[in-house]
Amino acid sequence: QVQLVESGGGLVQPGGSLRLSCAASGSFFRLYAMGWYRQAPGKLRELVAGITNGGGTNYADSVKGRFTISRDNAKNTVYLQMNSLKPEDTAVYYCSQGKDSFSSRDPAYWGQGTQVTVSS
């Protein structure tokens, strides 16, 4: 069983930045794709960014150019740097671990989520 623990959420003004972190338990973090999802009230959970075990990345169109996903395999940690935040980025953000090295979709494990609120 893998445990994922997110941190770094909070309240930020429009145009501001936040960095989310997700620490994973276990010895095989480096083998799996990781992802960040978000879910706003009344909306479906959506994939925001994914990263393969080799560092290849993909992003939702709504965050391209503003968000950056990265990973540190030595620390078993994945990050989401969020810049130029907008009110529509407000959501609970979830870290996830994929079932293989490539895909962030259909995750095997989820974190508990961290709230990000963008408001003036």
Side-chain angles (χ1 to χ4, degrees):
Q1 186 77 9
V2 172
Q3 292 186 333
L4 304 173
V5 180
E6 301 102 333
S7 61
L11 173 65
V12 63
Q13 292 186 342
S17 298
L18 282 175
R19 187 173 85 153
L20 305 183
S21 299
C22 172
S25 66
S27 303
F28 304 104
F29 173 83
R30 70 190 186 282
L31 300 179
Y32 293 96
M34 300 295 294
W36 285 98
Y37 285 71
R38 68 185 180 188
Q39 187 167 20
K43 295 188 176 181
L44 296 176
R45 193 173 294 189
E46 62 171 348
L47 178 62
V48 174
I51 186 166
T52 68
N53 70 329
T57 59
N58 61 87
Y59 298 93
D61 287 344
S62 58
V63 306
K64 281 181 181 177
R66 300 188 298 122
F67 290 12
T68 302
I69 188 171
S70 61
R71 65 190 296 161
D72 185 336
N73 289 338
K75 295 182 178 180
N76 276 22
T77 301
V78 61
Y79 304 97
L80 185 68
Q81 177 67 44
M82 305 185 293
N83 299 327
S84 302
L85 282 160
K86 305 175 181 180
E88 50 263 44
D89 295 317
T90 296
V92 178
Y93 283 71
Y94 297 90
C95 174
S96 67
Q97 181 173 300
K99 295 177 180 175
D100 57 37
S101 63
F102 185 78
S103 177
S104 302
R105 300 194 178 274
D106 191 25
Y109 299 100
W110 294 94
Q112 82 287 355
T114 185
Q115 176 71 46
V116 172
T117 302
V118 184
S119 175
S120 55

